[in-house]
Amino acid sequence: MNYAALCIGLVIGLPWLGALLVWWAGDGRPRLQHTLAVLFSVAAGVAAALLIPLGSHETAVKISVGGAFGDFTFVPDGLGVFLAAIATVVGSLAVIFSVDYMKGEAQLGRYYAMILFFIGAMAGLVLTNNLFLIFLFWEITALTSYALISFYNDDPKAVAGGMKALIITQLGGVGLLAGALISYAYLGSFEVSVLLEKAEVLPESVLGILAFGFLIAAAAKSSQFPFQTWLPDAMEAPTPVSALIHAATMVNAGVYLLARFYPAFEGVPGWREAVMLVGMLSAVLSAIMALTAYDLKRVLAYSTVSQLGYMVYAVGAGGVFASQFHLFSHSIFKALLFLSAGAVIHAAGTRDMRQMGGLGKQMPVVRAVFVIGALALAGLPVLNGFWSKELILEAGLTGGPAWMLGVMIFTAGVTALYTFRCVYMVFYGQPAQNRHAHDAGMFMKIALIPLALGTLVSWLVVGPFGRLLEETLPFHGIHAHSLGDIALEIVKAPVTWIALGVIALGLAAWVLRKQLRLVSEPLQGVAGVSRSSFGFEFINRKVVDFTQQLAEDLRAGQTGVLSWNLLAIVVTLFVVIAILSLGV
Amino acid sequence: MNPQMALLWMIILPLGASPVAYMIGRLSYNRSKGLFGLARWVTLVTVMLTWIPLFFVGRAVVIDGPVSFKVGRIVMEMDGIGLLLSATVVLLGTLVTIFSLSYMKDEEGEEKYYALLPALCGMMIGLGCARDLFNLWVWFEGMAITSYLLVAFYRDQPGALEAGIKYLVQSAVGSVLVLFGISIIFLKAGTLDLVELREMASGFGPLGLAAGALFLAGFGVKAAMVPAHTWLPDAHSQAPSGISAMLSGVVIEAGLVAMLRALGVLSATSTAWGALLLMFGVLNMVVGNLMALRQTQVKRMLAYSSLAQVGYMLIGFGVSASYGLSNGAAGGFFHLFNHAMMKGLAFLAAGSLIYALYLSRGKHNPLMVEDLDGAAQRYPLTAFALSVALLALGGLPPLSGFMSKWQIFLAGAETRSTALLWLVIFAGLNSVLSLGYYAPLVNRMYRRQPSEAVKEGKPIAVSMALPMVAMLLFVVVLGFWPVWMSWLTAPAASSLLAGFGF
Amino acid sequence: MIFNLINVVVVVTVGLVGIAIYGMLVSRNLMKIVVGLQLAVKAAMLAFILSGRLNGKIDEAQSLALTVIVTDTVVAVVALALVVQVRRKFGTLDIKAISTLRR
């Protein structure tokens, strides 16, 4: 076994081993559980970091299983190692954060075991080269996400949120299932690289089903249009879970899937346009929803959907590199925002921003890091969010229609607006209550500071990052540029300045919100519609109600009366005879 | 031990244990409790002893192919399908017997239970080995009769009686239909040997189709094919929990195996058999899942979910029967085995909760969904086992149910037919729907506020926990390494394909 | 010849099945349903004998029919025992009244 294989084994195996141990330690020993969880997640993070220099497109692990399951292969290519590193590093920070956040909670074993199980599965999802395993890990992440969203099982909202997330992501998962099965049926292999290489061999209609099946799967997993409704409801989860699973890692799996298979599908008629449209609609609709929400975590959730929309849009526009770079930046600053929001919620005891206000003085550290994250989210230079967002807009300029680019730039302005609204309502303004909020605990700070530093400087690695992707992804045709080239290009591009102008407008709109009443009055209607999530909740509810009603009505068929039961048997017989005699 | 003798022993042992256990129980009933315990141990030891001949037969079947044994004019032949069915039956039978040691302790008529359980196992092993149609029917009927008695075991419970008599009438009507089918075949061919019949089948004409329809509907009652399924929820929810596990885990599947054997003979008469299986598979999935969605009793919900699970098997077998793909049959048989473990585990876990919450205090209440609230605090192992079983039934990885469903779906895609692709997608959506009733149960068990029933619950005996742990291992380990079962499913699949003339 | 033995047996068999199924479908009395079931099994036995007669294997058909009689008797015994118990517990044999398990 070579060195890379060892690292891959550790990245996936360590968290799973840790999950078992934490479970085994039992809820009677919380200190041991905290320690074990931190140890194993950090160790996995180290293993993932060691894996980055080993990136290559060669298969590192190959376990022959055969039959209906293919060979279990793992490849440490650029996409894989960097996403695995994000999953494990952000994962370990979230676990460290939990030491303070979950102190004194019951059922810690279930909490940590599920988080560690998730980390391992997420790393497996991005490192494997086998479509069957991708689907398997995909489903495991859905399972753990559901278990953690409804961690507070006594709260009906948490259970409902978990169920919703599970059902919607599983619905999308059927698209991935169909795609993986078709790929095997026509190519005789589950290998991702085989699919990328031989995509043209497939009949056009089959490739179309494959491409759109994957798009549905990705949209459901990344909470994109029209499946965007589950992510805000998933905010019932403990906040470290929201930061890890519903901001930094699992929701990226959809974008990862699109990026991974982009070379195979780019030629499918209408696919790229559909991807861009999905991304654009998610971005703009969620940004507007973020503008009108009052729940701090929901604002962040909407903004996650919106930022994921940017990434999806970028993939559709052909900017795989831009989308992955934004994914990288977003994971860092959104995890930072969520964790610091967690610290705020932990201290203030509420998630409603209207009851916060003026917390900045009491929590200076949290305010500082939150503002850094917020500025990155808004896309202000020189934070990491600025560079990656500009890269996406540039990709949109070359790869997509102008009106979509216009919408995306407009969304950048809205993003700035809701970000400042959020920062203002939480940390500035008049204190709504006279409660004393304490600053973050030690473990919370340990988790927050590295993320804040990352937000400030992570864009500096754009050069090596590009080279890693270029060298290890033979089918994607990514061309790496050095940091200087990219910076120069961005600074020279007119779209950058337009975007910055719009962002400034968004900022100004918040500062001048009182004077703008004339404009904002008509927007109240929009706010109402957006609070009901543009009617998508309504559709969800109707579908659920219809299914439940159908099930209830069908129950009348179980009459319990023997004559009806016997009639059913006779009918079965005659139906079968009828079908046979019709001569099939 | 030579395989022929081993095959004979496999059938004789459980069937022979049955009267012995009954007589010991009867004789000692009024005298001493000590001797009465012997009845339990006779059954347990015999079922465990059956493992020895199973091992020898199994080795011979896997290495050299079918083993046959001749008694007079009757030929018993153990092939891949028979082996898979027998192995599942013996495994589940052993675990259920261990479970029943404390579950059925001091019930009225306990000796009958220990007489009927091995008889049921023996009948099913015989059914797996039957090589002529009439013999198949006899074993089938024997299995049915023992299961009627077991369903109506709590004979002072009105519900159990009602379920028993309804089950009896419907199942008996089904077996009459099968009898008519056999007599038609006998009329046309003059023989009932499965192998000889297969070559003559193409000359049967329309009467052959009629016989097939009779088999499909007749065995379909036992295999719980919608709409002939109505006996199932009553019988499964009213029987003692160990028997629910047997019924759901192997009895309905034995009906399915009998049907596949009988239809395989007629494969030359029509190409529609596979399509019909697929049609019933879809019906079963939809109706089973929708009916389960709004149930309030745990065991009834599990019973309806069996319908849906049989639907998946039907799809796997249907794909194999129409297209000759071995993955479909292998997946179907894999799912059969997994279902025995998952559903068996679910019923045993539910049963142990019923025992702890109600039966041990002399109450015959059904286990309602609300009773599960907070069960994980008092019964961590049982709650964990039930959660794993439910999630596996819902097809979530890394559990065994996911793997067998995957194999079935893969076979559907391998046909490269658009209609079947849609069917697979539909089946996938059904799996999602099924999570709509499995997952909330799991949530309930991990609540912090326990239900009234859980607060007053009694502890669960070790002999109940032991089989649950064993099944839990099967469900989890096969989820991580599914190919460990292919030595068993591959011969079964090739037997099925051979049966359908591929 | 219309009135040869074979034709008569065919008519009787089909007639028995018809009566049995009709009786089981329309009767609300559990006892009558069990009787209908018995009629159906008898028809099946006749069908076996008929098949044996037609293809010249009457001896095998007879042995099959005998086996059916044995198993059928067991089923009848169990069924009647259950009917007796049902009558004791529910006080009625009306199948509508004993349909407590539904939905």
Side-chain angles (χ1 to χ4, degrees):
Chain A
M1 194 184 260
N2 55 25
Y3 187 44
L6 180 70
C7 279
I8 290 177
L10 287 178
V11 170
I12 302 170
L14 276 178
W16 285 12
L17 181 65
L20 277 181
L21 288 178
V22 169
W23 193 292
W24 169 78
D27 290 339
R29 285 180 282 182
R31 280 184 67 88
L32 180 61
Q33 285 179 321
H34 285 303
T35 319
L36 280 173
V38 170
L39 272 182
F40 276 92
S41 58
V42 170
V46 171
L50 290 177
L51 194 56
I52 291 178
L54 302 174
S56 82
H57 59 273
E58 304 282 332
T59 303
V61 183
K62 179 169 180 173
I63 305 167
S64 287
V65 182
F69 309 99
D71 292 336
F72 289 4
T73 50
F74 292 88
V75 177
D77 63 7
L79 270 177
V81 291
F82 117 81
L83 276 163
I86 288 180
T88 48
V89 171
V90 178
S92 54
L93 292 175
V95 168
I96 293 172
F97 188 86
S98 302
V99 175
D100 272 341
Y101 190 85
M102 300 298 286
K103 189 175 277 173
E105 291 276 354
Q107 301 181 330
L108 273 180
R110 186 155 60 90
Y111 176 78
Y112 278 131
M114 281 297 167
I115 287 195
L116 289 169
F117 195 33
F118 167 80
I119 295 174
M122 187 69 206
L125 169 62
V126 293
L127 285 172
T128 183
N129 192 35
N130 174 322
L131 272 169
F132 164 71
L133 282 185
I134 288 186
F135 182 63
L136 179 128
F137 286 123
W138 185 275
E139 299 284 286
I140 296 180
T141 56
L143 166 69
T144 49
S145 146
Y146 141 77
L148 285 164
I149 294 170
S150 42
F151 177 70
Y152 298 115
N153 276 311
D154 296 81
D155 179 1
K157 270 169 78 186
V159 173
M163 287 299 300
K164 192 174 178 184
L166 182 66
I167 299 281
I168 290 184
T169 49
Q170 294 285 56
L171 275 182
V174 175
L176 179 58
L177 170 75
L181 295 176
I182 292 174
S183 164
Y184 180 79
Y186 284 86
L187 299 173
S189 162
F190 286 119
E191 295 296 298
V192 172
S193 44
V194 172
L195 175 59
L196 293 182
E197 196 181 325
K198 297 192 182 158
E200 310 89 63
V201 181
L202 294 174
E204 198 167 308
S205 59
V206 171
L207 191 62
I209 299 179
L210 208 64
F212 282 96
F214 278 27
L215 176 58
I216 291 174
K221 195 75 163 179
S222 289
S223 190
Q224 296 291 291
F225 176 87
F227 302 106
Q228 76 276 42
T229 51
W230 70 264
L231 191 59
D233 287 0
M235 291 301 125
E236 301 299 329
T239 308
V241 171
S242 308
L244 172 61
I245 299 184
H246 305 121
T249 49
M250 187 189 84
V251 287
N252 292 337
V255 181
Y256 162 77
L257 194 73
L258 294 177
R260 169 70 83 194
F261 293 99
Y262 174 78
F265 301 150
E266 63 180 325
V268 174
W271 187 75
R272 283 183 51 208
E273 288 74 12
V275 172
M276 277 192 279
L277 196 66
V278 165
M280 185 201 78
L281 284 173
S282 318
V284 63
L285 291 182
S286 310
I288 294 173
M289 283 191 256
L291 205 51
T292 55
Y294 287 113
D295 181 325
L296 174 55
K297 281 181 77 178
R298 283 183 92 92
V299 171
L300 293 178
Y302 288 129
S303 100
T304 305
V305 176
S306 172
Q307 297 301 308
L308 288 167
Y310 271 97
M311 298 172 211
V312 171
Y313 166 81
V315 174
V320 173
F321 173 71
S323 88
Q324 294 307 302
F325 193 53
H326 193 52
L327 191 158
F328 179 45
S329 308
H330 175 254
S331 303
I332 298 174
F333 70 70
K334 192 49 73 64
L336 172 66
L337 282 173
F338 260 110
L339 288 181
S340 39
V344 169
I345 292 163
H346 197 250
T350 175
R351 285 171 21 192
D352 193 332
M353 296 196 296
R354 285 168 296 190
Q355 296 175 20
M356 293 177 178
L359 287 174
K361 287 213 179 64
Q362 291 158 352
M363 321 179 70
V365 177
V366 175
R367 175 177 65 181
V369 295
F370 193 93
V371 168
I372 292 174
L375 293 177
L377 171 61
L380 285 184
V382 293
L383 298 157
N384 62 3
F386 163 75
W387 300 103
S388 51
K389 199 177 277 183
E390 299 306 336
L391 274 178
I392 286 180
L393 294 177
E394 244 184 89
L397 186 64
T398 51
W403 67 274
M404 282 196 186
L405 182 67
V407 175
M408 297 311 279
I409 292 177
F410 166 73
T411 309
V414 180
T415 308
L417 182 55
Y418 73 68
T419 312
F420 290 115
R421 169 174 174 269
C422 172
V423 171
Y424 184 85
M425 286 182 81
V426 174
F427 292 105
Y428 299 92
Q430 288 305 311
Q433 286 165 321
N434 293 330
R435 77 158 55 100
H436 175 72
H438 56 87
D439 207 353
M442 182 189 59
F443 285 104
M444 288 188 178
K445 281 181 192 150
I446 293 177
L448 288 174
I449 306 285
L451 286 171
L453 288 178
T455 307
L456 288 172
V457 299
S458 77
W459 53 278
L460 291 172
V461 303
V462 64
F465 182 70
R467 272 201 304 284
L468 180 67
L469 293 190
E470 181 186 14
E471 281 163 13
T472 60
L473 298 173
F475 299 105
H476 285 69
I478 291 170
H479 298 293
H481 301 282
S482 70
L483 174 64
D485 290 350
I486 289 176
L488 201 63
E489 202 182 326
I490 285 177
V491 172
K492 279 200 295 196
V495 66
T496 306
W497 298 102
I498 298 174
L500 277 178
V502 174
I503 291 171
L505 273 182
L507 224 172
W510 176 250
V511 176
L512 302 174
R513 62 190 179 284
K514 296 225 170 60
Q515 285 75 7
L516 286 176
R517 182 116 306 172
L518 211 66
V519 190
S520 63
E521 291 288 313
L523 286 176
Q524 289 306 312
V526 179
V529 180
S530 94
R531 278 203 199 97
S532 54
S533 74
F534 294 100
F536 286 102
E537 275 309 330
F538 181 74
I539 296 172
N540 284 350
R541 211 168 44 243
K542 278 286 164 227
V543 171
V544 172
D545 286 351
F546 171 76
T547 316
Q548 298 275 5
Q549 193 56 44
L550 188 65
E552 194 58 47
D553 292 347
L554 198 63
R555 288 179 73 191
Q558 180 81 7
T559 55
V561 179
L562 201 44
S563 343
W564 288 109
N565 300 348
L566 294 177
L567 184 65
I569 298 174
V570 176
V571 168
T572 312
L573 177 64
F574 282 108
V575 167
V576 170
I577 290 178
I579 290 174
L580 285 171
S581 58
L582 286 175
V584 188
Chain B
M1 200 187 288
N2 85 36
Q4 278 78 21
M5 283 314 286
L7 177 56
L8 187 65
W9 277 110
M10 261 188 82
I11 300 172
I12 287 180
L13 267 177
L15 288 182
S18 168
V20 175
Y22 182 69
M23 275 190 284
I24 294 176
R26 271 328 259 193
L27 290 175
S28 63
Y29 195 60
N30 295 322
R31 293 174 206 165
S32 68
K33 282 277 172 195
L35 189 60
F36 185 79
L38 197 58
R40 296 179 196 129
W41 291 105
V42 166
T43 299
L44 181 60
V45 168
T46 330
V47 178
M48 286 192 159
L49 277 181
T50 316
W51 281 98
I52 299 169
L54 177 66
F55 171 76
F56 286 103
V57 178
R59 201 176 53 175
V61 171
V62 170
I63 295 170
D64 305 324
V67 172
S68 52
F69 186 85
K70 206 164 177 194
V71 192
R73 277 161 58 197
I74 299 167
V75 183
M76 303 295 291
E77 184 181 72
M78 176 78 93
D79 61 354
I81 300 179
L83 179 65
L84 180 116
L85 187 65
S86 315
T88 317
V89 166
V90 175
L91 178 58
L92 196 62
T94 314
L95 296 171
V96 165
T97 313
I98 298 173
F99 178 82
S100 303
L101 289 180
S102 32
Y103 189 84
M104 299 307 292
K105 196 168 175 134
D106 300 331
E107 282 290 343
E108 198 193 333
E110 200 188 345
E111 76 281 0
K112 285 180 209 144
Y113 183 87
Y114 285 108
L116 288 168
L117 189 56
L120 184 64
C121 294
M123 295 289 184
M124 277 187 279
I125 296 170
L127 186 149
C129 305
R131 218 187 70 165
D132 80 72
L133 270 179
F134 191 75
N135 197 1
L136 184 72
W137 179 83
V138 172
W139 290 112
F140 178 76
E141 194 67 3
M143 171 187 89
I145 293 168
T146 28
S147 62
Y148 304 150
L149 290 166
L150 284 167
V151 166
F153 181 78
Y154 294 125
R155 56 180 177 166
D156 36 357
Q157 294 298 314
L161 282 177
E162 183 194 337
I165 188 77
K166 280 200 226 165
Y167 171 37
L168 185 147
V169 172
Q170 295 181 46
S171 171
V173 168
S175 63
V176 170
L177 297 185
V178 173
L179 267 186
F180 277 111
I182 296 176
S183 74
I184 289 175
I185 300 245
F186 188 58
L187 172 70
K188 286 304 255 187
T191 175
L192 290 174
D193 186 89
L194 292 176
V195 179
E196 290 173 32
L197 279 175
R198 195 165 296 131
E199 282 139 26
M200 308 160 97
S202 49
F204 286 173
L207 275 182
L209 293 183
L214 286 163
F215 289 150
L216 205 60
F219 286 123
V221 175
K222 186 56 119 242
M225 292 194 327
V226 173
H229 67 282
T230 42
W231 61 272
L232 182 139
D234 301 345
H236 285 204
S237 57
Q238 296 300 320
S241 295
I243 298 309
S244 311
M246 289 297 282
L247 282 179
S248 189
V250 280
V251 173
I252 54 178
E253 282 79 358
L256 196 57
V257 165
M259 184 201 316
L260 291 173
R261 290 249 201 236
L263 283 185
V265 168
L266 297 167
S267 56
T269 57
S270 166
T271 51
W273 304 120
L276 279 167
L277 291 181
L278 290 174
M279 183 190 91
F280 281 109
V282 170
L283 262 178
N284 263 48
M285 283 192 306
V286 178
V287 173
N289 280 329
L290 283 176
M291 291 295 280
L293 197 60
R294 306 274 297 170
Q295 297 297 325
T296 50
Q297 293 180 17
V298 175
K299 275 176 79 173
R300 214 171 161 78
M301 181 185 282
L302 291 175
Y304 278 116
S305 98
S306 294
L307 289 184
Q309 303 294 333
V310 168
Y312 290 105
M313 293 175 215
L314 282 171
I315 285 179
F317 295 137
V319 169
S320 272
S322 341
Y323 293 88
L325 289 169
S326 73
N327 259 336
F333 283 118
F334 190 24
H335 200 60
L336 192 156
F337 179 82
N338 284 341
H339 181 244
M341 288 299 116
M342 303 183 288
K343 194 53 76 60
L345 177 58
F347 269 120
L348 292 194
S352 60
L353 285 176
I354 292 180
Y355 185 80
L357 305 185
Y358 294 120
L359 275 183
S360 58
R361 290 190 282 136
K363 290 203 259 179
H364 268 278
N365 295 26
L367 184 69
M368 305 306 281
V369 171
E370 300 87 48
D371 293 341
L372 292 179
D373 284 4
Q377 287 169 52
R378 254 188 83 80
Y379 309 108
L381 175 71
T382 311
F384 182 65
L386 188 50
S387 311
V388 167
L390 292 172
L391 295 174
L393 284 166
L396 284 177
L399 302 166
S400 60
F402 172 82
M403 297 297 171
S404 41
K405 279 185 189 173
W406 170 271
Q407 204 170 357
I408 292 170
F409 292 170
L410 185 69
E414 271 183 319
T415 61
R416 300 195 185 181
S417 127
T418 320
L420 269 170
L421 184 67
W422 283 112
L423 196 148
V424 166
I425 291 174
F426 183 74
L429 292 177
N430 259 289
S431 275
V432 179
L433 175 59
S434 72
L435 288 171
Y437 54 90
Y438 292 128
L441 288 191
V442 179
N443 282 329
R444 279 184 179 277
M445 283 186 281
Y446 286 94
R447 285 191 181 184
R448 260 163 239 180
Q449 190 60 46
S451 66
E452 291 304 313
V454 167
K455 275 185 202 157
E456 295 163 13
K458 299 251 167 59
I460 286 173
V462 180
S463 65
M464 287 188 185
L466 211 62
M468 285 199 273
V469 172
M471 288 166 145
L472 198 60
L473 280 179
F474 269 102
V475 174
V476 174
V477 169
L478 286 180
F480 271 97
W481 203 246
V483 281
W484 265 335
M485 282 313 280
S486 43
W487 64 271
L488 195 55
T489 56
S494 56
S495 296
L496 185 84
L497 290 182
F500 274 88
F502 285 105
Chain C
M1 223 171 44
I2 295 172
F3 283 104
N4 70 7
L5 191 61
I6 304 278
N7 285 356
V8 171
V9 175
V10 169
V11 169
V12 169
T13 310
V14 173
L16 268 180
V17 176
I19 294 169
I21 290 180
Y22 176 77
M24 288 162 84
L25 288 182
V26 300
S27 172
R28 284 178 58 172
N29 186 316
L30 199 51
M31 197 62 217
K32 287 185 183 165
I33 289 180
V34 174
V35 171
L37 186 61
Q38 288 301 308
L39 278 183
V41 182
K42 301 303 175 286
M45 282 182 225
L46 262 184
F48 265 111
I49 301 294
L50 184 64
S51 311
R53 169 69 197 259
L54 284 177
N55 64 15
K57 298 204 169 178
I58 189 75
D59 49 343
E60 200 180 334
Q62 277 171 347
S63 67
L64 297 182
L66 276 174
T67 321
V68 176
I69 290 175
V70 173
T71 53
D72 172 50
T73 312
V74 181
V75 174
V77 167
V78 175
L80 291 175
L82 283 176
V83 169
V84 170
Q85 292 285 346
V86 165
R87 168 76 199 186
R88 278 192 193 149
K89 282 287 160 198
F90 287 86
T92 173
L93 288 178
D94 186 345
I95 52 168
K96 286 237 168 90
I98 61 163
S99 69
T100 58
L101 302 168
R102 51 174 72 185
R103 293 173 84 71

